[in-house]
mmCIF file of all heavy atoms in Angstrom:
data_model
loop_
_atom_site.group_PDB
_atom_site.id
_atom_site.type_symbol
_atom_site.label_atom_id
_atom_site.label_comp_id
_atom_site.label_asym_id
_atom_site.label_seq_id
_atom_site.Cartn_x
_atom_site.Cartn_y
_atom_site.Cartn_z
ATOM 1 N N ALA A 925 9.745 10.720 1.523
ATOM 2 C CA ALA A 925 9.624 10.325 2.912
ATOM 3 C C ALA A 925 8.173 10.379 3.365
ATOM 4 O O ALA A 925 7.303 10.918 2.650
ATOM 5 C CB ALA A 925 10.505 11.209 3.801
ATOM 6 N N ILE A 926 7.890 9.856 4.541
ATOM 7 C CA ILE A 926 6.584 10.002 5.157
ATOM 8 C C ILE A 926 6.728 10.971 6.343
ATOM 9 O O ILE A 926 7.805 11.090 6.919
ATOM 10 C CB ILE A 926 5.985 8.678 5.640
ATOM 11 C CG1 ILE A 926 6.916 8.016 6.665
ATOM 12 C CG2 ILE A 926 5.679 7.751 4.497
ATOM 13 C CD1 ILE A 926 6.280 6.806 7.372
ATOM 14 N N VAL A 927 5.638 11.655 6.643
ATOM 15 C CA VAL A 927 5.636 12.638 7.743
ATOM 16 C C VAL A 927 4.931 11.989 8.920
ATOM 17 O O VAL A 927 3.743 11.661 8.827
ATOM 18 C CB VAL A 927 4.964 13.941 7.324
ATOM 19 C CG1 VAL A 927 4.964 14.921 8.481
ATOM 20 C CG2 VAL A 927 5.666 14.524 6.101
ATOM 21 N N ILE A 928 5.627 11.809 10.009
ATOM 22 C CA ILE A 928 5.044 11.275 11.238
ATOM 23 C C ILE A 928 4.930 12.422 12.216
ATOM 24 O O ILE A 928 5.938 12.980 12.668
ATOM 25 C CB ILE A 928 5.944 10.149 11.814
ATOM 26 C CG1 ILE A 928 6.096 9.025 10.804
ATOM 27 C CG2 ILE A 928 5.345 9.616 13.112
ATOM 28 C CD1 ILE A 928 7.012 7.911 11.280
ATOM 29 N N GLY A 929 3.685 12.774 12.538
ATOM 30 C CA GLY A 929 3.458 13.997 13.311
ATOM 31 C C GLY A 929 3.766 15.180 12.426
ATOM 32 O O GLY A 929 3.024 15.501 11.530
ATOM 33 N N ASP A 930 4.911 15.805 12.634
ATOM 34 C CA ASP A 930 5.318 16.904 11.753
ATOM 35 C C ASP A 930 6.773 16.761 11.313
ATOM 36 O O ASP A 930 7.376 17.694 10.832
ATOM 37 C CB ASP A 930 5.139 18.258 12.489
ATOM 38 C CG ASP A 930 5.889 18.338 13.811
ATOM 39 O OD1 ASP A 930 6.558 17.357 14.169
ATOM 40 O OD2 ASP A 930 5.780 19.389 14.499
ATOM 41 N N GLU A 931 7.308 15.517 11.470
ATOM 42 C CA GLU A 931 8.688 15.266 11.110
ATOM 43 C C GLU A 931 8.769 14.265 9.944
ATOM 44 O O GLU A 931 8.195 13.191 9.991
ATOM 45 C CB GLU A 931 9.473 14.685 12.284
ATOM 46 C CG GLU A 931 9.653 15.650 13.458
ATOM 47 C CD GLU A 931 10.625 16.778 13.122
ATOM 48 O OE1 GLU A 931 11.512 16.541 12.258
ATOM 49 O OE2 GLU A 931 10.485 17.869 13.711
ATOM 50 N N PRO A 932 9.511 14.614 8.891
ATOM 51 C CA PRO A 932 9.672 13.661 7.767
ATOM 52 C C PRO A 932 10.672 12.548 8.130
ATOM 53 O O PRO A 932 11.696 12.813 8.808
ATOM 54 C CB PRO A 932 10.207 14.531 6.632
ATOM 55 C CG PRO A 932 10.888 15.667 7.319
ATOM 56 C CD PRO A 932 10.141 15.917 8.585
ATOM 57 N N HIS A 933 10.390 11.334 7.668
ATOM 58 C CA HIS A 933 11.267 10.223 7.955
ATOM 59 C C HIS A 933 11.396 9.377 6.685
ATOM 60 O O HIS A 933 10.400 9.075 6.038
ATOM 61 C CB HIS A 933 10.714 9.348 9.102
ATOM 62 C CG HIS A 933 10.670 10.026 10.422
ATOM 63 N ND1 HIS A 933 11.743 10.044 11.299
ATOM 64 C CD2 HIS A 933 9.684 10.743 11.037
ATOM 65 C CE1 HIS A 933 11.419 10.727 12.382
ATOM 66 N NE2 HIS A 933 10.174 11.152 12.255
ATOM 67 N N VAL A 934 12.611 8.977 6.381
ATOM 68 C CA VAL A 934 12.844 8.107 5.254
ATOM 69 C C VAL A 934 13.230 6.681 5.686
ATOM 70 O O VAL A 934 13.299 5.772 4.890
ATOM 71 C CB VAL A 934 13.952 8.679 4.329
ATOM 72 C CG1 VAL A 934 15.332 8.545 4.976
ATOM 73 C CG2 VAL A 934 13.918 8.066 2.946
ATOM 74 N N GLU A 935 13.465 6.516 6.982
ATOM 75 C CA GLU A 935 13.741 5.215 7.596
ATOM 76 C C GLU A 935 12.940 5.095 8.884
ATOM 77 O O GLU A 935 12.680 6.106 9.543
ATOM 78 C CB GLU A 935 15.236 5.029 7.865
ATOM 79 C CG GLU A 935 16.105 4.955 6.612
ATOM 80 C CD GLU A 935 17.572 4.779 6.947
ATOM 81 O OE1 GLU A 935 18.174 5.718 7.447
ATOM 82 O OE2 GLU A 935 18.098 3.646 6.702
ATOM 83 N N LEU A 936 12.574 3.865 9.248
ATOM 84 C CA LEU A 936 11.800 3.675 10.445
ATOM 85 C C LEU A 936 12.623 3.088 11.585
ATOM 86 O O LEU A 936 12.364 3.362 12.758
ATOM 87 C CB LEU A 936 10.604 2.732 10.181
ATOM 88 C CG LEU A 936 9.591 3.218 9.143
ATOM 89 C CD1 LEU A 936 8.411 2.261 9.053
ATOM 90 C CD2 LEU A 936 9.103 4.629 9.472
ATOM 91 N N GLY A 937 13.592 2.254 11.273
ATOM 92 C CA GLY A 937 14.446 1.653 12.334
ATOM 93 C C GLY A 937 13.674 0.813 13.311
ATOM 94 O O GLY A 937 13.942 0.876 14.527
ATOM 95 N N LEU A 938 12.736 0.000 12.811
ATOM 96 C CA LEU A 938 11.952 -0.852 13.716
ATOM 97 C C LEU A 938 12.773 -2.025 14.211
ATOM 98 O O LEU A 938 13.637 -2.540 13.499
ATOM 99 C CB LEU A 938 10.699 -1.386 12.949
ATOM 100 C CG LEU A 938 9.746 -0.320 12.406
ATOM 101 C CD1 LEU A 938 8.664 -0.990 11.577
ATOM 102 C CD2 LEU A 938 9.154 0.506 13.533
ATOM 103 N N GLN A 939 12.512 -2.444 15.426
ATOM 104 C CA GLN A 939 13.255 -3.585 15.981
ATOM 105 C C GLN A 939 12.930 -4.855 15.210
ATOM 106 O O GLN A 939 13.813 -5.670 14.928
ATOM 107 C CB GLN A 939 12.903 -3.757 17.466
ATOM 108 C CG GLN A 939 13.729 -4.848 18.146
ATOM 109 C CD GLN A 939 13.462 -4.919 19.628
ATOM 110 O OE1 GLN A 939 12.598 -4.202 20.157
ATOM 111 N NE2 GLN A 939 14.198 -5.791 20.325
ATOM 112 N N HIS A 940 11.621 -5.057 14.876
ATOM 113 C CA HIS A 940 11.222 -6.169 14.061
ATOM 114 C C HIS A 940 10.326 -5.651 12.947
ATOM 115 O O HIS A 940 9.187 -5.252 13.204
ATOM 116 C CB HIS A 940 10.453 -7.201 14.911
ATOM 117 C CG HIS A 940 11.243 -7.791 16.041
ATOM 118 N ND1 HIS A 940 12.314 -8.660 15.832
ATOM 119 C CD2 HIS A 940 11.172 -7.608 17.376
ATOM 120 C CE1 HIS A 940 12.830 -8.986 16.962
ATOM 121 N NE2 HIS A 940 12.180 -8.372 17.958
ATOM 122 N N THR A 941 10.853 -5.618 11.738
ATOM 123 C CA THR A 941 10.111 -5.061 10.604
ATOM 124 C C THR A 941 9.040 -6.022 10.151
ATOM 125 O O THR A 941 9.335 -7.209 9.893
ATOM 126 C CB THR A 941 11.080 -4.771 9.442
ATOM 127 O OG1 THR A 941 12.104 -3.912 9.872
ATOM 128 C CG2 THR A 941 10.329 -4.129 8.270
ATOM 129 N N PRO A 942 7.790 -5.591 10.052
ATOM 130 C CA PRO A 942 6.696 -6.481 9.572
ATOM 131 C C PRO A 942 7.010 -6.946 8.141
ATOM 132 O O PRO A 942 7.638 -6.224 7.353
ATOM 133 C CB PRO A 942 5.466 -5.576 9.611
ATOM 134 C CG PRO A 942 5.803 -4.524 10.612
ATOM 135 C CD PRO A 942 7.289 -4.288 10.462
ATOM 136 N N PRO A 943 6.553 -8.121 7.761
ATOM 137 C CA PRO A 943 6.836 -8.635 6.400
ATOM 138 C C PRO A 943 6.220 -7.806 5.300
ATOM 139 O O PRO A 943 6.797 -7.683 4.215
ATOM 140 C CB PRO A 943 6.291 -10.060 6.437
ATOM 141 C CG PRO A 943 5.324 -10.076 7.573
ATOM 142 C CD PRO A 943 5.828 -9.122 8.565
ATOM 143 N N VAL A 944 5.047 -7.203 5.571
ATOM 144 C CA VAL A 944 4.371 -6.387 4.546
ATOM 145 C C VAL A 944 4.018 -5.036 5.131
ATOM 146 O O VAL A 944 3.442 -4.963 6.223
ATOM 147 C CB VAL A 944 3.089 -7.105 4.011
ATOM 148 C CG1 VAL A 944 2.423 -6.232 2.967
ATOM 149 C CG2 VAL A 944 3.407 -8.463 3.460
ATOM 150 N N ILE A 945 4.389 -3.980 4.404
ATOM 151 C CA ILE A 945 4.095 -2.627 4.844
ATOM 152 C C ILE A 945 3.371 -1.864 3.717
ATOM 153 O O ILE A 945 3.819 -1.884 2.605
ATOM 154 C CB ILE A 945 5.372 -1.857 5.237
ATOM 155 C CG1 ILE A 945 6.113 -2.581 6.385
ATOM 156 C CG2 ILE A 945 5.080 -0.428 5.655
ATOM 157 C CD1 ILE A 945 7.427 -1.955 6.783
ATOM 158 N N VAL A 946 2.268 -1.258 4.082
ATOM 159 C CA VAL A 946 1.488 -0.424 3.141
ATOM 160 C C VAL A 946 1.703 1.040 3.556
ATOM 161 O O VAL A 946 1.397 1.396 4.697
ATOM 162 C CB VAL A 946 0.006 -0.790 3.172
ATOM 163 C CG1 VAL A 946 -0.773 0.180 2.260
ATOM 164 C CG2 VAL A 946 -0.222 -2.209 2.688
ATOM 165 N N LEU A 947 2.227 1.832 2.653
ATOM 166 C CA LEU A 947 2.425 3.257 2.901
ATOM 167 C C LEU A 947 1.224 3.994 2.301
ATOM 168 O O LEU A 947 1.202 4.241 1.082
ATOM 169 C CB LEU A 947 3.738 3.717 2.297
ATOM 170 C CG LEU A 947 4.996 3.058 2.868
ATOM 171 C CD1 LEU A 947 6.236 3.527 2.103
ATOM 172 C CD2 LEU A 947 5.153 3.356 4.370
ATOM 173 N N SER A 948 0.277 4.327 3.101
ATOM 174 C CA SER A 948 -0.928 5.024 2.665
ATOM 175 C C SER A 948 -0.627 6.508 2.686
ATOM 176 O O SER A 948 -1.014 7.241 3.598
ATOM 177 C CB SER A 948 -2.120 4.679 3.557
ATOM 178 O OG SER A 948 -3.283 5.272 3.079
ATOM 179 N N ALA A 949 0.074 6.960 1.674
ATOM 180 C CA ALA A 949 0.562 8.339 1.635
ATOM 181 C C ALA A 949 0.873 8.728 0.179
ATOM 182 O O ALA A 949 0.999 7.849 -0.676
ATOM 183 C CB ALA A 949 1.804 8.527 2.505
ATOM 184 N N CYS A 950 1.033 10.016 -0.073
ATOM 185 C CA CYS A 950 1.331 10.499 -1.420
ATOM 186 C C CYS A 950 2.766 10.240 -1.841
ATOM 187 O O CYS A 950 3.678 10.392 -1.000
ATOM 188 C CB CYS A 950 1.033 11.981 -1.540
ATOM 189 S SG CYS A 950 -0.736 12.398 -1.411
ATOM 190 N N HIS A 951 2.973 9.915 -3.099
ATOM 191 C CA HIS A 951 4.267 9.773 -3.791
ATOM 192 C C HIS A 951 5.432 9.370 -2.879
ATOM 193 O O HIS A 951 6.443 10.048 -2.778
ATOM 194 C CB HIS A 951 4.616 11.060 -4.552
ATOM 195 C CG HIS A 951 4.462 12.342 -3.820
ATOM 196 N ND1 HIS A 951 5.092 12.619 -2.632
ATOM 197 C CD2 HIS A 951 3.745 13.465 -4.115
ATOM 198 C CE1 HIS A 951 4.767 13.818 -2.219
ATOM 199 N NE2 HIS A 951 3.957 14.347 -3.089
ATOM 200 N N VAL A 952 5.286 8.205 -2.239
ATOM 201 C CA VAL A 952 6.396 7.683 -1.400
ATOM 202 C C VAL A 952 7.226 6.644 -2.139
ATOM 203 O O VAL A 952 8.228 6.201 -1.625
ATOM 204 C CB VAL A 952 5.823 7.058 -0.104
ATOM 205 C CG1 VAL A 952 5.334 8.150 0.831
ATOM 206 C CG2 VAL A 952 4.704 6.057 -0.422
ATOM 207 N N ALA A 953 6.812 6.276 -3.376
ATOM 208 C CA ALA A 953 7.577 5.335 -4.181
ATOM 209 C C ALA A 953 7.677 5.817 -5.621
ATOM 210 O O ALA A 953 7.314 5.128 -6.528
ATOM 211 C CB ALA A 953 6.969 3.932 -4.117
ATOM 212 N N PRO A 954 8.176 7.051 -5.824
ATOM 213 C CA PRO A 954 8.248 7.606 -7.169
ATOM 214 C C PRO A 954 9.203 6.852 -8.048
ATOM 215 O O PRO A 954 10.213 6.306 -7.569
ATOM 216 C CB PRO A 954 8.677 9.051 -6.949
ATOM 217 C CG PRO A 954 9.489 8.975 -5.683
ATOM 218 C CD PRO A 954 8.798 7.954 -4.848
ATOM 219 N N ARG A 955 8.923 6.793 -9.325
ATOM 220 C CA ARG A 955 9.808 6.159 -10.296
ATOM 221 C C ARG A 955 10.155 7.175 -11.361
ATOM 222 O O ARG A 955 9.386 8.064 -11.702
ATOM 223 C CB ARG A 955 9.137 4.939 -10.954
ATOM 224 C CG ARG A 955 8.809 3.832 -9.976
ATOM 225 C CD ARG A 955 10.044 3.108 -9.511
ATOM 226 N NE ARG A 955 9.790 2.362 -8.277
ATOM 227 C CZ ARG A 955 10.716 1.662 -7.655
ATOM 228 N NH1 ARG A 955 11.951 1.582 -8.152
ATOM 229 N NH2 ARG A 955 10.422 1.022 -6.536
ATOM 230 N N GLY A 956 11.345 7.037 -11.923
ATOM 231 C CA GLY A 956 11.774 7.919 -13.004
ATOM 232 C C GLY A 956 12.515 9.144 -12.557
ATOM 233 O O GLY A 956 13.070 9.871 -13.399
ATOM 234 N N SER A 957 12.591 9.389 -11.247
ATOM 235 C CA SER A 957 13.269 10.605 -10.748
ATOM 236 C C SER A 957 14.543 10.290 -9.989
ATOM 237 O O SER A 957 15.216 11.217 -9.501
ATOM 238 C CB SER A 957 12.314 11.392 -9.845
ATOM 239 O OG SER A 957 11.945 10.629 -8.715
ATOM 240 N N SER A 958 14.863 8.987 -9.853
ATOM 241 C CA SER A 958 16.055 8.528 -9.095
ATOM 242 C C SER A 958 16.027 9.014 -7.634
ATOM 243 O O SER A 958 17.063 9.198 -7.033
ATOM 244 C CB SER A 958 17.346 9.025 -9.794
ATOM 245 O OG SER A 958 17.442 8.487 -11.081
ATOM 246 N N ALA A 959 14.821 9.172 -7.119
ATOM 247 C CA ALA A 959 14.695 9.613 -5.720
ATOM 248 C C ALA A 959 15.017 8.495 -4.753
ATOM 249 O O ALA A 959 14.752 7.328 -5.018
ATOM 250 C CB ALA A 959 13.274 10.136 -5.460
ATOM 251 N N VAL A 960 15.598 8.862 -3.632
ATOM 252 C CA VAL A 960 15.761 7.907 -2.523
ATOM 253 C C VAL A 960 14.444 7.838 -1.795
ATOM 254 O O VAL A 960 13.941 8.821 -1.256
ATOM 255 C CB VAL A 960 16.894 8.378 -1.554
ATOM 256 C CG1 VAL A 960 16.982 7.411 -0.357
ATOM 257 C CG2 VAL A 960 18.202 8.506 -2.273
ATOM 258 N N SER A 961 13.805 6.643 -1.808
ATOM 259 C CA SER A 961 12.460 6.541 -1.296
ATOM 260 C C SER A 961 12.385 5.628 -0.065
ATOM 261 O O SER A 961 13.158 4.685 0.083
ATOM 262 C CB SER A 961 11.490 5.980 -2.344
ATOM 263 O OG SER A 961 11.738 4.612 -2.603
ATOM 264 N N ILE A 962 11.458 5.967 0.817
ATOM 265 C CA ILE A 962 11.255 5.155 2.002
ATOM 266 C C ILE A 962 10.801 3.760 1.628
ATOM 267 O O ILE A 962 11.104 2.775 2.302
ATOM 268 C CB ILE A 962 10.244 5.837 2.960
ATOM 269 C CG1 ILE A 962 10.137 4.995 4.254
ATOM 270 C CG2 ILE A 962 8.915 6.038 2.301
ATOM 271 C CD1 ILE A 962 9.312 5.655 5.343
ATOM 272 N N ALA A 963 10.074 3.617 0.506
ATOM 273 C CA ALA A 963 9.623 2.304 0.057
ATOM 274 C C ALA A 963 10.796 1.368 -0.201
ATOM 275 O O ALA A 963 10.800 0.206 0.234
ATOM 276 C CB ALA A 963 8.738 2.441 -1.213
ATOM 277 N N ASP A 964 11.808 1.845 -0.905
ATOM 278 C CA ASP A 964 12.990 1.045 -1.195
ATOM 279 C C ASP A 964 13.781 0.760 0.092
ATOM 280 O O ASP A 964 14.280 -0.369 0.308
ATOM 281 C CB ASP A 964 13.888 1.744 -2.196
ATOM 282 C CG ASP A 964 13.289 1.768 -3.593
ATOM 283 O OD1 ASP A 964 12.286 1.038 -3.838
ATOM 284 O OD2 ASP A 964 13.807 2.490 -4.455
ATOM 285 N N LEU A 965 13.890 1.761 0.946
ATOM 286 C CA LEU A 965 14.713 1.573 2.161
ATOM 287 C C LEU A 965 14.049 0.592 3.148
ATOM 288 O O LEU A 965 14.730 -0.069 3.900
ATOM 289 C CB LEU A 965 14.954 2.925 2.824
ATOM 290 C CG LEU A 965 15.832 3.893 2.020
ATOM 291 C CD1 LEU A 965 16.084 5.175 2.810
ATOM 292 C CD2 LEU A 965 17.160 3.225 1.662
ATOM 293 N N LEU A 966 12.717 0.527 3.120
ATOM 294 C CA LEU A 966 12.020 -0.424 4.009
ATOM 295 C C LEU A 966 12.336 -1.854 3.608
ATOM 296 O O LEU A 966 12.328 -2.765 4.427
ATOM 297 C CB LEU A 966 10.514 -0.164 4.009
ATOM 298 C CG LEU A 966 10.067 1.053 4.813
ATOM 299 C CD1 LEU A 966 8.558 1.291 4.644
ATOM 300 C CD2 LEU A 966 10.410 0.862 6.299
ATOM 301 N N LEU A 967 12.530 -2.085 2.303
ATOM 302 C CA LEU A 967 12.956 -3.406 1.857
ATOM 303 C C LEU A 967 14.337 -3.766 2.425
ATOM 304 O O LEU A 967 14.596 -4.916 2.788
ATOM 305 C CB LEU A 967 12.978 -3.455 0.324
ATOM 306 C CG LEU A 967 11.638 -3.322 -0.388
ATOM 307 C CD1 LEU A 967 11.810 -3.246 -1.894
ATOM 308 C CD2 LEU A 967 10.711 -4.476 -0.022
#
Side-chain angles (χ1 to χ4, degrees):
I926 59 170
V927 180
I928 301 177
D930 56 1
E931 293 289 333
H933 295 273
V934 73
E935 294 180 288
L936 299 184
L938 301 175
Q939 185 175 4
H940 299 290
T941 303
V944 180
I945 300 178
V946 175
L947 299 174
S948 183
C950 292
H951 48 57
V952 287
R955 296 289 161 180
S957 61
S958 299
V960 176
S961 71
I962 184 172
D964 289 348
L965 294 183
L966 284 175
L967 293 175

